[in-house]
Amino acid sequence: MGELGTVLRDLADAAVRTEVPAGELTAVAAAARELTARLRAAGRGLHEVASVDDPEAGERWYSPVHGRGNPVAPALEAGETPGGRATGRVTVGKAHEGPPGLVHGGVVATLLDHLLARAVRAAGRGGLTATLTVRYRRPVPLGVPLLLTAEAGESSGRRTTATARVVAEDAPGTVLAEAEGLFVALRPERSAEVFRSLADPAGTWTARTGDAGA
């Protein structure tokens, strides 16, 4: 799956950068349709979890942010450490371009949101994004290795705050964008309703005992 995801990301990059003649585009489209039919021979429903995933542990092969099997993901490499901290590294390519030569602002927000959520999880908390505030300090260039860091903040009942920032690895002193997020854990009954396709969504998005009444 990871190999297919890598190849398809390379294909997407080629597709958004190509200048081949129209006839070649038509031929490639026909070949792509044949490959699509082969992959659709066996699949899962829209709300079904992939057999290789472990949502509780954050293992999401088809995440649109870090999923190795997802061809639209910018392939963020992210991790977390106990105490509510998370880090990530990524080099964003042409497929996620906004203004010429720059990363789309929505992609920057998506990357920051993901790091914020990881920091909250590393703090032993759960929740979904309730608010996300992004401040764009500098243009974020394509093709430049980026470093993202995040840290969980205060917790109260089902609510947890977190902050994150992104810098270029070769200029860590210059903040390109930063974000603040508020994450709210779902009450158990609401979590069971929202994530009814999961056997146990408790740890990642659901309030712990003692928090649910907050």
Side-chain angles (χ1 to χ4, degrees):
M1 294 178 191
E3 182 180 3
L4 177 60
T6 298
V7 171
L8 291 178
R9 279 189 291 274
D10 191 42
L11 176 62
D13 181 71
V16 299
R17 298 173 66 176
T18 187
E19 295 291 341
V20 300
E24 182 67 0
L25 290 176
T26 300
V28 171
R33 277 191 290 271
E34 292 180 3
L35 294 175
T36 300
R38 291 174 62 181
L39 291 176
R40 288 198 186 280
R44 63 186 183 279
L46 187 61
H47 297 287
E48 293 180 309
V49 178
S51 59
V52 293
D53 280 358
D54 182 358
E56 180 70 16
E59 188 71 25
R60 302 294 306 282
W61 276 83
Y62 299 105
S63 162
V65 187
H66 67 93
R68 292 177 57 196
N70 191 329
V72 305
L76 173 73
E77 295 181 1
E80 59 211 49
T81 57
R85 295 178 183 273
T87 60
R89 286 178 168 79
V90 66
T91 300
V92 182
K94 194 73 168 176
H96 297 99
E97 183 178 49
L102 303 178
V103 180
H104 193 290
V107 175
V108 175
T110 299
L111 292 167
L112 288 167
D113 179 54
H114 182 77
L115 258 290
L116 290 167
R118 278 186 172 267
V120 169
R121 186 175 66 187
R125 307 289 295 184
L128 298 174
T129 308
T131 63
L132 176 65
T133 302
V134 180
R135 286 178 291 275
Y136 299 92
R137 300 297 192 185
R138 300 282 192 280
V140 182
L142 295 176
V144 172
L146 303 173
L147 173 64
L148 297 94
T149 56
E151 183 175 2
E154 298 180 352
S155 294
S156 177
R158 294 184 293 118
R159 298 167 177 262
T160 304
T161 62
T163 56
R165 59 174 52 188
V166 56
V167 301
E169 284 197 9
D170 63 357
T174 301
V175 177
L176 302 177
E178 56 190 0
E180 297 176 358
L182 171 65
F183 293 78
V184 178
L186 298 175
R187 299 180 189 278
E189 63 274 14
R190 179 58 174 157
S191 182
E193 176 187 353
V194 172
F195 299 109
R196 55 185 176 273
S197 61
L198 298 180
D200 181 17
T204 304
W205 303 284
T206 310
R208 274 70 166 173
T209 302
D211 294 338

